[in-house]
Amino acid sequence: MRFLTTFHLWPFLDTLVSYVVAFVLGTLIGAERQYRQRTAGLRTNALVAIGAAAFTDLGQRLGGDVESIRVIAYVVSGIGFLGAGVIMKEGMNVRGLNTAATLWCSAAVGAIAGSDMLAEAALLAGLVVVANTLLRPLVDAINRIPLEGRSLEASYSVTITGSATQAGPLGDMLVEHLEAQSLPVAELDVEERGEGRVDIVATLVSTNVPSRELDDIVDHLATVHGIAHATWQARTHD
C-alpha cells in the first residue's frame, strides 16, 4: 500500500496543526460574517481557509517551497471566482464587495497557515476581524457627514420642466444662468414628459460644485422665472 510509504508521523502532525489553525481562524472570521447575516458566513469562510491551507501544504510537501508558491498563486486567482458569486448589483448599488474581500482574506489566512507561519496567519485573521468590526463605526460616522460638508467629484445635472413649445428658449436661459455662475454645460438634453411638457436637462462638466450654489440657482429659476419644477442631482464617480 502506497499509504504506508507516504505516511510520516511528523509531517502529518505538521499538516494537522496547519489544518486546525486554518479552521479555527477561518471560523473566527466567518463568525463575524454569520452574525451580520452575510451571504458567505461561518462555514464558507472556514472551508475557504481550510482549502487554501490544504492546497498550500500539499504543494509544499510534494515539491517544497517553490511548488507551494505556485499553488498559492492559483489559490489567489481561483478564489476570485468564488468571491464574484457573492457580489450582486441592485440598481445603482453594488452589494457583497466586503464579503468577497473577506473570502479573499480567509484564503490568505489559510495559505499562510498551510505554509506553517502560524503567528502570521493569526495576525492576519485578527486584522480582518478588526477591519470588519472596529472600522464599522468609523464608516457609519463618515457616511453621516452631510454632502454639503464634502468635496465630491461628480457629474452634476440641473433639470427644469416646461412647455414643449418653449423648450428652446428655456434651454438657452438655463445654459446662460449656469455659465454666468462659471458652471460650464457639457450637454443639454430635452426629454418628453407627455401632455406637451418636457424636461430640459443640463449636464455640467465634471467638477466639484458646492451644493449651495446649485440650490441657489434652482431657487432663482423657480422664484424669479416661474419655473414650475426645477431640481438638480449629482452622481459621484467610483
Side-chain angles (χ1 to χ4, degrees), residues 114-170:
S115 299
D116 299 327
M117 294 185 287
L118 306 185
E120 289 83 352
L123 174 62
L124 177 57
L127 291 175
V128 173
V129 174
V130 167
N132 281 335
T133 55
L134 298 187
L135 291 184
R136 184 173 294 273
L138 178 59
V139 172
D140 293 338
I142 294 175
N143 288 339
R144 284 195 295 268
I145 298 176
L147 285 175
E148 289 78 2
R150 306 185 193 178
S151 177
L152 294 178
E153 182 178 354
S155 295
Y156 295 87
S157 62
V158 179
T159 303
I160 61 175
T161 302
S163 171
T165 58
Q166 296 295 318
L170 289 175

Side-chain angles (χ1 to χ4, degrees), residues 209-234:
V209 181
S211 59
R212 188 174 300 278
E213 290 187 17
L214 294 173
D215 288 336
D216 292 340
I217 292 174
V218 167
D219 291 340
H220 177 80
L221 291 171
T223 57
V224 176
H225 297 279
I227 302 298
H229 176 74
T231 186
W232 67 273
Q233 65 177 355

Side-chain angles (χ1 to χ4, degrees), residues 50-157:
I50 295 172
F55 284 118
T56 303
D57 182 79
L58 178 63
Q60 189 175 55
R61 289 188 60 178
L62 293 179
D65 293 338
V66 174
E67 191 63 31
S68 68
I69 293 174
R70 294 179 181 174
V71 172
I72 292 172
Y74 286 114
V75 169
V76 171
S77 60
I79 199 65
F81 292 97
L82 185 60
V86 300
I87 299 175
M88 295 174 289
K89 189 174 186 298
E90 298 178 351
M92 296 297 295
N93 299 318
V94 178
R95 297 180 55 192
L97 288 175
N98 188 70
T99 299
T102 302
L103 284 175
W104 196 49
C105 291
S106 294
V109 169
I112 295 172
S115 299
D116 299 327
M117 294 185 287
L118 306 185
E120 289 83 352
L123 174 62
L124 177 57
L127 291 175
V128 173
V129 174
V130 167
N132 281 335
T133 55
L134 298 187
L135 291 184
R136 184 173 294 273
L138 178 59
V139 172
D140 293 338
I142 294 175
N143 288 339
R144 284 195 295 268
I145 298 176
L147 285 175
E148 289 78 2
R150 306 185 193 178
S151 177
L152 294 178
E153 182 178 354
S155 295
Y156 295 87
S157 62

